[in-house]
Amino acid sequence: MATIKDIANKLGIAVSTVSKGLNGASDISDDMRQLVLDTAVEMGYASKKMRTTTTRKVCIFIENMDYENIDQFGYDIIVGFKLSAARRHWEVTVVPSSLTLQTEEKYDTYMLKNGYSGAFFLGFTLHDDWVMQLNKTTVPSVLLDNYIERNNHVGYVGTDSDEGIDLAVDHLKELGHKKIAFLNGSKNSMVSDQRYSAYVNSMKKHGLSLDENLIEFGYYVPDCAKYHVPSFLKSGATAIICASDLIASGVIAEVKKHGLTVPDDISVIGFDDLPIAAQLSPPLTTIRQDRIDLGKSAFLLLDGLIHNVSISKLLQRAKFIKRQSTAPCKIK
Amino acid sequence: MATIKDIANKLGIAVSTVSKGLNGASDISDDMRQLVLDTAVEMGYASKKMRTTTTRKVCIFIENMDYENIDQFGYDIIVGFKLSAARRHWEVTVVPSSLTLQTEEKYDTYMLKNGYSGAFFLGFTLHDDWVMQLNKTTVPSVLLDNYIERNNHVGYVGTDSDEGIDLAVDHLKELGHKKIAFLNGSKNSMVSDQRYSAYVNSMKKHGLSLDENLIEFGYYVPDCAKYHVPSFLKSGATAIICASDLIASGVIAEVKKHGLTVPDDISVIGFDDLPIAAQLSPPLTTIRQDRIDLGKSAFLLLDGLIHNVSISKLLQRAKFIKRQSTAPCKIK
């Protein structure tokens, strides 16, 4: 591992100058400080503070996700992460991300500068600057619902869609449904791909035939229901599995618009078990992602990466939550 | 959670008798002790000793796997598990399993009786008595390379076959190979299924056509090579990916028998990176399963389950190890 002396030799400057650069002293120029930091990152330098166990800091970067109130998706994930981190005596900082943050500085530099040993990314897409830098980072990093290939320092945490969707199909088949439609989230999302193949596999496993008129990609918003529910109904669907609770809320509204009743005419199942799921009318049968556990698992994975255990994927069990939006199929 | 009093009430006996049964006192009959233990398991009783952090014991059950010497598959896995456990102050006992052990007593009863908070199963199959009991167990349990559906207390740990096989195909395509055969392990094994679809997906991703004459299931032993290599050669294979190093060792021998040379005529890639891989002639290019890390991950997962985080799957990165059994394709 590179030392302060290595950095000084490489740059041809004094060890004390390198030290000032790394510690943010004010008596060197901003340019010199930046050069020292960039060189330190390039050479894989980790400060003594980062290597010893006295200061142990990780952070959560969050964007495109609400988390400040208890009924928002990110809230419990952060709580779970902090609970697990506290048990191991790690300090956690939540850093709302922005375009500026990501363009101002390289990810590795930011992490070194702030003394973070690792990070958990919530709500990012593969097009974010920092996420694009993750295929080369040496900083332990965990992504929710996104996967980076071939980098031992990066892991992915998520909920097991296979088992989740399978639980939904299982339940509907028990109730006598055969024409089970699937309204997915947006294309080109890893989670949508997983839920799509989970649906296909589970339908086959249950001996139910696949009908392409009953499978659609939409978006992870309620509004997408109006584009797809009409054709589902036309094609004879008696049940609709949705890739999220928000989609399901739109589906219930759309079914009602057609003068039909949930669950008497059409059964609807969501995914996530957001706090709103139980408040819908009728209360939504759904597949729970345990968000506290997701947060705990994310820390567990990050802790593994920090200790050089190269975990690539960690999946959480999905749980079936029966409420009132599903009922026996009336059509024989 | 059930208390000693609950057990006493259910059985209509004194609390002191229950206590004697749970603690193995000699002044009650064997039948009574068994009845107390079975009832305790059924009611989900966990002793105070198990619930407090002063005694923390987990175990590793092992069968069908050599582990006593450093060059055997199980050795490093156990070392990794123990290293991770020691860091968290857990005591680990290795228990070689046998048919008798599994038929004498139910799994949950055995665990309660011996005060183990959880177990890691190495080398078991889905037909083992205790593994069959895992769909209902409440004892945190981790399986290597086997998956139990829908039980929050059981997790699966393994190596990411998708990325592993993809690294192999990538390397061979770089070397100009197109007719890449795949000799898999035994059918009806989860790992073989994973490696099969990993091969199919990676070939497609690399724009290489699939030829059913170049895909075979064998067994995880060298001997299976002689049944499949001749037809691979007849079908024009210039490279063979094997689902394990042992299979690859058989493939190399079989290729030589046909008067051909590895890697000049046929490139061969293994999977595992067992200590023998580097000793073969030529030394084997292979996909490494880091067994120390697998063991560490297994403990990490078990620790999660013990703390009620319902992780279902944890996958480890595979690593590409380039040695001398692969070379540029001579056929244009």
Side-chain angles (χ1 to χ4, degrees):
Chain A
M1 194 180 296
T3 64
I4 292 194
K5 209 169 165 191
D6 296 332
I7 301 169
N9 286 341
K10 173 145 190 191
L11 293 175
I13 58 178
V15 165
S16 60
T17 313
V18 174
S19 172
K20 283 175 184 174
L22 292 172
N23 295 315
S26 57
D27 57 344
I28 63 165
S29 72
D30 283 349
D31 284 353
M32 180 55 86
R33 177 163 46 247
Q34 198 58 45
L35 181 65
V36 167
L37 283 168
D38 288 345
T39 310
V41 167
E42 192 188 303
M43 297 178 77
Y45 170 80
S47 70
K48 203 169 168 186
K49 228 168 32 178
M50 288 163 67
R51 280 180 282 119
T52 56
T53 52
T54 47
T55 311
R56 311 209 300 177
K57 278 169 62 186
V58 290
C59 65
I60 302 177
F61 294 112
I62 187 158
E63 68 173 28
N64 303 319
M65 190 185 283
D66 296 319
Y67 65 97
E68 274 156 332
N69 300 314
I70 195 161
D71 57 343
Q72 293 174 326
F73 192 81
Y75 188 88
D76 277 350
I77 299 179
I78 292 176
V79 169
F81 189 91
K82 285 184 171 174
L83 282 172
S84 237
R87 199 157 64 82
R88 300 270 180 264
H89 312 292
W90 284 84
E91 213 178 89
V92 179
T93 312
V94 177
V95 184
S97 175
S98 63
L99 202 58
T100 339
L101 182 69
Q102 291 185 55
T103 46
E104 258 175 5
E105 202 139 41
K106 281 191 183 157
Y107 170 60
D108 284 13
T109 311
Y110 180 91
M111 296 298 281
L112 178 64
K113 219 166 166 175
N114 289 282
Y116 292 127
S117 301
F120 177 31
F121 287 82
L122 268 176
F124 283 61
T125 76
L126 293 175
H127 304 292
D128 276 293
D129 275 348
W130 280 7
V131 174
M132 287 197 286
Q133 291 164 27
L134 291 184
N135 55 354
K136 295 241 186 285
T137 189
T138 55
V139 178
S141 309
V142 172
L143 287 154
L144 176 71
D145 285 344
N146 266 316
Y147 181 61
I148 303 291
E149 284 191 343
R150 302 184 187 187
N151 184 341
N152 282 353
H153 304 288
V154 184
Y156 139 60
V157 68
T159 296
D160 190 339
S161 292
D162 284 328
E163 200 159 282
I165 298 288
D166 193 47
L167 289 163
V169 174
D170 214 33
H171 171 67
L172 292 170
K173 196 190 172 187
E174 283 275 308
L175 293 172
H177 294 275
K178 285 171 190 153
K179 296 213 152 216
I180 303 171
F182 181 51
L183 183 46
N184 207 341
S186 30
K187 267 193 178 163
N188 303 321
S189 128
M190 190 183 72
V191 169
S192 302
D193 289 350
Q194 287 173 349
R195 291 185 189 162
Y196 171 77
S197 53
Y199 166 81
V200 170
N201 291 337
S202 181
M203 289 291 279
K204 283 185 190 162
K205 180 182 131 186
H206 284 88
L208 296 168
S209 54
L210 291 167
D211 175 350
E212 60 179 35
N213 296 313
L214 298 181
I215 309 174
E216 293 292 348
F217 282 84
Y219 288 92
Y220 286 103
V221 293
D223 211 39
C224 78
K226 67 181 179 212
Y227 302 105
H228 305 295
V229 169
S231 70
F232 284 168
L233 297 177
K234 220 164 133 186
S235 302
T238 63
I240 304 172
I241 298 175
C242 308
S244 81
D245 290 346
L246 289 180
I247 297 176
S249 72
V251 166
I252 291 177
E254 190 62 25
V255 167
K256 286 180 188 168
K257 264 200 225 158
H258 283 74
L260 297 171
T261 311
V262 175
D264 292 340
D265 301 306
I266 304 288
S267 287
V268 177
I269 298 187
F271 205 110
D272 284 342
D273 198 26
L274 292 180
I276 61 143
Q279 313 304 325
L280 292 175
S281 163
L284 187 67
T285 297
T286 190
I287 306 301
R288 177 180 294 163
Q289 299 204 53
D290 188 315
R291 296 191 304 285
I292 294 271
D293 270 15
L294 267 180
K296 285 184 178 174
S297 288
F299 178 78
L300 215 129
L301 169 43
L302 187 58
D303 193 31
L305 294 174
I306 288 170
H307 291 91
N308 292 315
V309 184
S310 59
I311 302 161
S312 63
K313 299 178 185 166
L314 193 160
L315 292 181
Q316 199 65 46
R317 296 262 174 198
K319 196 175 166 193
F320 184 74
I321 306 295
K322 169 84 184 90
R323 294 201 186 94
Q324 282 90 60
S325 66
T326 47
C329 180
K330 287 194 303 194
I331 297 165
K332 297 290 153 206
Chain B
M1 194 180 296
T3 64
I4 292 195
K5 209 168 164 190
D6 296 331
I7 301 169
N9 285 342
K10 173 145 191 191
L11 293 176
I13 58 177
V15 166
S16 60
T17 313
V18 174
S19 172
K20 283 176 185 174
L22 292 171
N23 295 313
S26 58
D27 57 344
I28 63 165
S29 72
D30 283 350
D31 285 354
M32 180 54 86
R33 176 162 46 247
Q34 198 59 44
L35 182 65
V36 167
L37 284 168
D38 288 346
T39 311
V41 167
E42 192 189 303
M43 297 178 76
Y45 170 80
S47 69
K48 202 169 170 187
K49 231 174 21 185
M50 286 164 68
R51 280 180 282 120
T52 56
T53 52
T54 47
T55 312
R56 311 209 302 177
K57 278 169 62 187
V58 289
C59 65
I60 301 176
F61 294 111
I62 188 159
E63 68 172 28
N64 303 320
M65 190 186 283
D66 295 320
Y67 65 97
E68 276 156 330
N69 299 314
I70 195 161
D71 58 342
Q72 293 174 326
F73 192 81
Y75 187 88
D76 277 350
I77 299 179
I78 292 176
V79 169
F81 188 92
K82 285 184 170 174
L83 281 172
S84 237
R87 199 157 65 80
R88 300 270 180 264
H89 312 291
W90 284 84
E91 213 178 89
V92 180
T93 312
V94 177
V95 183
S97 175
S98 63
L99 202 57
T100 339
L101 182 69
Q102 290 187 53
T103 47
E104 257 174 7
E105 202 140 40
K106 283 191 183 156
Y107 169 60
D108 284 14
T109 312
Y110 179 91
M111 296 297 281
L112 179 63
K113 220 166 165 175
N114 290 280
Y116 293 127
S117 300
F120 177 32
F121 287 81
L122 268 176
F124 283 62
T125 77
L126 294 175
H127 305 292
D128 276 291
D129 275 347
W130 280 7
V131 174
M132 288 197 285
Q133 292 165 27
L134 290 184
N135 56 354
K136 295 242 186 284
T137 189
T138 57
V139 178
S141 308
V142 172
L143 287 154
L144 176 71
D145 285 342
N146 265 316
Y147 180 61
I148 302 291
E149 283 191 343
R150 302 184 186 188
N151 184 342
N152 281 353
H153 304 287
V154 185
Y156 139 60
V157 68
T159 296
D160 190 338
S161 292
D162 284 328
E163 200 159 283
I165 298 290
D166 193 48
L167 289 163
V169 173
D170 215 33
H171 171 67
L172 291 170
K173 195 187 173 188
E174 283 275 308
L175 293 173
H177 293 275
K178 285 172 190 153
K179 297 214 150 214
I180 303 171
F182 181 50
L183 183 46
N184 207 341
S186 29
K187 267 192 177 165
N188 302 323
S189 129
M190 190 182 72
V191 169
S192 302
D193 289 349
Q194 287 173 347
R195 292 186 189 162
Y196 171 78
S197 51
Y199 166 82
V200 169
N201 291 336
S202 182
M203 290 290 280
K204 284 185 190 164
K205 180 181 132 187
H206 284 87
L208 297 167
S209 55
L210 291 166
D211 175 350
E212 60 179 34
N213 296 314
L214 298 181
I215 309 174
E216 293 292 349
F217 282 83
Y219 288 92
Y220 286 103
V221 292
D223 210 38
C224 78
K226 67 180 179 209
Y227 302 105
H228 305 295
V229 169
S231 70
F232 284 168
L233 298 177
K234 219 164 132 186
S235 302
T238 62
I240 304 172
I241 297 175
C242 307
S244 81
D245 290 347
L246 289 180
I247 297 175
S249 72
V251 167
I252 291 176
E254 190 63 24
V255 167
K256 286 180 186 167
K257 264 200 225 157
H258 283 74
L260 297 170
T261 310
V262 175
D264 292 340
D265 300 307
I266 305 287
S267 287
V268 177
I269 298 187
F271 204 110
D272 285 341
D273 198 26
L274 291 181
I276 61 143
Q279 313 304 325
L280 292 175
S281 164
L284 187 68
T285 298
T286 190
I287 306 300
R288 177 180 294 164
Q289 299 205 53
D290 188 314
R291 296 191 304 284
I292 294 269
D293 270 14
L294 266 181
K296 285 183 176 173
S297 288
F299 178 78
L300 214 130
L301 169 44
L302 187 58
D303 193 31
L305 295 174
I306 288 170
H307 290 91
N308 291 315
V309 185
S310 59
I311 302 160
S312 64
K313 298 178 186 167
L314 193 162
L315 292 181
Q316 199 64 47
R317 297 261 175 199
K319 197 174 166 195
F320 184 72
I321 307 295
K322 169 83 184 90
R323 294 202 186 92
Q324 283 91 59
S325 65
T326 47
C329 180
K330 287 194 302 192
I331 296 165
K332 296 291 153 204

